[in-house]
Amino acid sequence: MLAKRIIPCMDVTAGRVVKGVNFMELRDAGDPVEIAKRYDDQGADELTFLDITATSDGRDLILHIIEDVASQVFIPLTVGGGVREVDDVRRLLNAGADKVSINTTAIYNPQVVADAAARFGSQCIVVAIDAKKVEGQPFEWEVFTHGGRKPTGLDAVEWAKKMVNLGSGELLVTSMDRDGTKIGFNNSLNRAISDAVAVPLIASGGVGNLQHLVDGVKIGGADAVLAASIFHYGEYTVEQAKTYMQAHNIEVRL
Amino acid sequence: MKKIDIAVVDYGMGNLRSVSKAIEHVASDKTVLITSNPEEIHAAERVVFPGQGAMPECMQELDGRGLHEAVVSAAKTKPFLGICIGLQMLFDHSEEGDANGLGLLEGNVKKFALENVTDAAGEKLKVPHMGWNQVYQYDKPHPLWQGIASGERFYFVHSYYVSLEDEASAMGYGEYPNKFTCAVAQDNIFAVQFHPEKSAQAGLQLLRNFVNWKP
């Protein structure tokens, strides 16, 4: 049976892994290659790197990091952050990424999603959706950009469907009001999107304990669960997380 | 021409770096070359035929780059490993874009038809079939399975699967939720639907077995 995936996520800037709280204050969490190898040893199913470098001059650093990781770690690597055009996708894939995640650009220029999927295949195009619960809209969850600061007026569920129609092979759904809070995924948001699309959904934002991972799968309908801080600071290993999920009747790769 | 131990066929589709990096990792003493030059494919001792994306485009690129004949010749004469679309392209025909394949193996490539199909937990099954699934071996040993247990998990990403005319060449199957063939062998060809280059230790073992294979 297909296993539910556990994906440790690393935010990378200036060649280091960092962890923010509510997309603000950054704390140093270590060297990307070392951390990637550690997660691989622990049995991570996949790794995600998000380049949160604010300025364009630091952009190429992520390519070197991906090259280094890809020559030592043989599990799927997803890279996102700052992807603006199809050529950015190509450069990341050539560096060793297996999938590229597209976020803000998908909103301002959805054609990039379609073109990249047509060029490289849907299997390597992940659309990242940052959503927040809102009041006073005809829908429940709105898509945000700029780390949750800028509303787009888009209904997250409809947006997810549109992205899949354009060729996104997977969705990375981050609940912006949960990220860094450790109170668990927004499972009603994830469930609404997971039920609305045919492609796999990665749940992200808010994991504070292992039960949250179980709930993400069982309640939220996620095909994969992504977490950062519970793994970075050694609270839990990936193996502990899998053992816990297995004990709760979730199929995992152990 | 300098000696080429392993040629990875580059026809412009998808990411070949991970394939070559994984092979280099298990065969540091071998020359691994990503190439779109038919002569280098002819000269290589063994050939890896990867693939990503859609099969019609893959076939077009293969033909457009003049690689069709070199790949067919390699598949008939030397240790040859097909991966993902590189497996599917060995067959007669694919439902994907109604495309003809290389016709080296008898059978067709079909799309997972899983609308309204659910798993044991009642969740609908997604397409693509993406992630780590078990690969079960048949009761017929093959050098490429050496050191790999039946039921070991490998990483998959695909929406289409191969349906064989003759099950004799089937070497392994997965379940999603129905049985589908995910590994085939015929003479000097071994081909898999999953990605050994992304399947951690089990995948590296399969690549190591390929590098040492003497069909």
Side-chain angles (χ1 to χ4, degrees):
Chain A
M1 195 173 157
L2 186 63
K4 300 296 177 185
R5 288 168 280 154
I6 294 191
I7 308 177
C9 176
M10 287 156 271
D11 287 349
V12 177
T13 187
R16 298 288 288 178
V17 175
V18 292
K19 178 59 191 166
V21 180
N22 280 331
F23 280 70
M24 304 297 173
E25 312 159 44
L26 299 176
R27 284 199 274 171
D28 187 85
D31 172 66
V33 179
E34 267 175 42
I35 296 177
K37 282 169 81 170
R38 187 166 75 226
Y39 289 148
D40 180 33
D41 289 343
Q42 291 175 9
D45 296 310
E46 209 168 308
L47 297 173
T48 291
F49 293 88
L50 290 180
D51 183 5
I52 59 166
T53 306
T55 55
S56 54
D57 50 332
R59 285 263 177 254
D60 284 351
L61 269 176
I62 191 76
L63 296 175
H64 300 303
I65 290 170
I66 297 307
E67 278 178 20
D68 284 352
V69 172
S71 52
Q72 299 181 56
V73 171
F74 301 98
I75 56 176
L77 307 176
T78 301
V79 186
V83 176
R84 288 180 177 77
E85 47 191 75
V86 174
D87 201 51
D88 293 330
V89 177
R90 187 189 58 79
R91 292 192 311 149
L92 289 167
L93 293 176
N94 283 344
D98 300 286
K99 308 181 204 177
V100 171
S101 131
I102 305 177
N103 190 338
T104 310
T105 298
I107 293 161
Y108 296 115
N109 188 4
Q111 191 59 34
V112 170
V113 173
D115 291 347
R119 176 78 184 84
F120 307 108
S122 288
Q123 84 290 336
C124 66
I125 304 301
V126 182
V127 169
I129 299 175
D130 294 345
K132 237 192 242 190
K133 192 164 173 64
V134 287
E135 307 290 338
Q137 289 276 27
F139 46 78
E140 211 174 342
W141 299 283
E142 183 170 348
V143 180
F144 278 71
T145 62
H146 297 81
R149 293 191 303 276
K150 232 173 140 180
T152 64
L154 296 165
D155 173 352
V157 179
E158 289 306 313
W159 181 243
K161 287 173 17 189
K162 183 177 174 189
M163 289 298 103
V164 172
N165 286 337
L166 283 185
S168 178
E170 196 172 25
L171 298 172
L172 167 56
V173 180
T174 303
S175 164
M176 300 305 288
D177 25 21
R178 300 294 177 101
D179 203 57
T181 62
K182 294 181 167 277
I183 58 171
F185 295 120
N186 185 335
N187 290 313
S188 40
L189 165 69
N190 293 337
R191 172 56 75 181
I193 293 179
S194 184
D195 284 352
V197 298
V199 305
L201 179 142
I202 305 167
S204 156
V207 176
N209 61 48
L210 301 182
Q211 184 60 37
H212 291 154
L213 302 178
V214 171
D215 293 346
V217 171
K218 289 198 162 175
I219 302 171
D223 301 280
V225 286
L226 181 141
S229 56
I230 61 162
F231 298 131
H232 290 334
Y233 297 115
E235 286 166 61
Y236 303 102
T237 63
V238 175
E239 195 179 2
Q240 283 172 326
K242 287 188 166 182
T243 308
Y244 187 90
M245 288 167 79
Q246 190 178 51
H248 289 75
N249 300 316
I250 293 174
E251 187 85 7
V252 290
R253 163 184 163 252
L254 265 176
Chain B
M1 190 178 294
K2 113 175 175 293
K3 184 169 175 288
I4 302 162
D5 294 311
I6 300 146
V8 179
V9 182
D10 175 12
Y11 47 96
M13 296 294 286
N15 177 13
L16 308 178
R17 289 278 300 242
S18 31
V19 177
S20 68
K21 279 180 170 175
I23 297 169
E24 282 163 10
H25 189 78
V26 297
S28 50
D29 55 332
K30 306 281 187 198
T31 320
V32 184
L33 189 70
I34 296 176
T35 177
S36 51
N37 178 344
E39 285 175 31
E40 289 177 333
I41 295 168
H42 281 302
E45 188 197 322
R46 17 194 109 231
V47 169
V48 177
F49 187 45
Q52 278 183 357
M55 185 162 140
E57 280 75 29
C58 287
M59 286 301 297
Q60 270 169 26
E61 291 292 329
L62 196 69
D63 291 343
R65 287 160 195 252
L67 292 168
H68 190 127
E69 190 274 328
V71 168
V72 169
S73 157
K76 287 180 173 169
T77 56
K78 54 185 90 176
F80 186 95
L81 177 64
I83 298 173
C84 194
I85 307 286
L87 157 75
Q88 297 179 5
M89 288 165 80
L90 300 178
F91 283 79
D92 296 319
H93 183 263
S94 175
E95 280 181 8
E96 188 175 21
D98 191 22
N100 283 323
L102 296 170
L104 291 157
L105 295 166
E106 282 183 41
N108 293 293
V109 184
K110 296 180 175 170
K111 182 154 194 179
F112 280 118
L114 300 178
E115 288 79 19
N116 307 316
V117 180
T118 52
D119 66 13
E123 296 285 351
K124 75 172 171 188
L125 290 170
K126 306 286 183 79
V127 178
H129 170 231
M130 182 188 288
W132 298 78
N133 208 342
Q134 281 128 332
V135 172
Y136 299 99
Q137 299 166 25
Y138 292 103
D139 191 18
K140 42 184 175 185
H142 190 283
L144 264 75
W145 287 140
Q146 195 194 325
I148 299 168
S150 181
E152 184 63 73
R153 286 182 190 275
F154 287 84
Y155 186 79
F156 288 85
V157 189
H158 61 127
S159 300
Y160 293 78
Y161 64 96
V162 296
S163 169
L164 273 54
E165 208 60 56
D166 176 7
E167 290 292 325
S169 56
M171 293 305 302
Y173 66 93
E175 291 173 342
Y176 195 63
N178 303 317
K179 248 169 107 163
F180 68 94
T181 299
C182 67
V184 298
Q186 179 178 290
D187 305 324
N188 50 293
I189 297 173
F190 197 90
V192 292
Q193 181 61 64
F194 50 82
H195 290 270
E197 76 280 12
K198 286 289 150 186
S199 295
Q201 291 310 316
L204 294 176
Q205 181 62 35
L206 190 140
L207 294 174
R208 197 175 287 121
N209 291 341
F210 173 69
V211 170
N212 297 321
W213 185 27
K214 293 185 179 65

